[in-house]
Amino acid sequence: MAFRFEGLEVFQLAVDFAQLTYEMTRQFSKAEMFGLTANLRRAATSAPMNIAEGSGRGTRRDFIHFIDIATGSLFESIASFLLAERLGYTSETELDKVRRSAETLGRKLSSFKKSLSDHTP
């Protein structure tokens, strides 16, 4: 059985972003395991989790609320990656890769929210 959210492109992009985050944070200092690494992983996984949870809610308005939360988690991830780059845990090149992924996901979240809003009474 497939769930409705599994077929959403925005969900797949969010999972890709979370996977990229895990791959990138593997190289972080072990001293950051319970700090920045944990925060980044939590924020990045929050995006697909909220898309999935929102899809199971009863109304489009509820779904939109969870898309907003996913968007906030994406922004939190980027802010954390900026700090990680400043602290020397990741390079500018790696940060650019994260930014490209985040920009794509952010655009898709925004357009998906608009499509849900256009059909909300």
Side-chain angles (χ1 to χ4, degrees), residues 44-115:
T45 57
S46 177
M49 301 310 171
N50 276 290
I51 294 166
E53 184 173 353
S55 75
R57 294 298 174 136
T59 67
R60 286 184 187 271
R61 184 165 277 120
D62 287 340
F63 200 175
I64 290 167
H65 173 72
F66 281 89
I67 296 300
D68 284 339
I69 294 170
T71 301
S73 295
L74 177 63
F75 291 170
E76 180 181 352
S77 296
I78 293 305
S80 296
F81 269 117
L82 288 168
L83 178 58
E85 193 264 337
R86 206 179 257 199
L87 293 171
Y89 296 137
T90 192
S91 70
E92 189 174 332
T93 302
E94 291 169 323
L95 181 60
D96 286 343
K97 183 178 180 179
V98 169
R99 279 187 169 154
R100 283 191 303 275
S101 177
E103 286 170 0
T104 300
L105 176 55
R107 280 193 304 275
K108 291 293 182 179
L109 283 165
S110 180
S111 63
F112 187 63
K113 178 182 171 182
K114 184 180 178 337
S115 73

Side-chain angles (χ1 to χ4, degrees), residues 19-63:
Q19 180 179 354
L20 177 61
T21 297
Y22 268 78
E23 291 167 359
M24 301 273 298
T25 55
R26 279 190 195 118
Q27 67 184 352
F28 285 15
S29 165
K30 297 301 174 202
E32 283 297 331
M33 184 56 71
F34 301 105
L36 192 55
T37 300
N39 187 69
L40 256 166
R41 289 176 174 185
R42 238 186 331 272
T45 57
S46 177
M49 301 310 171
N50 276 290
I51 294 166
E53 184 173 353
S55 75
R57 294 298 174 136
T59 67
R60 286 184 187 271
R61 184 165 277 120
D62 287 340
F63 200 175

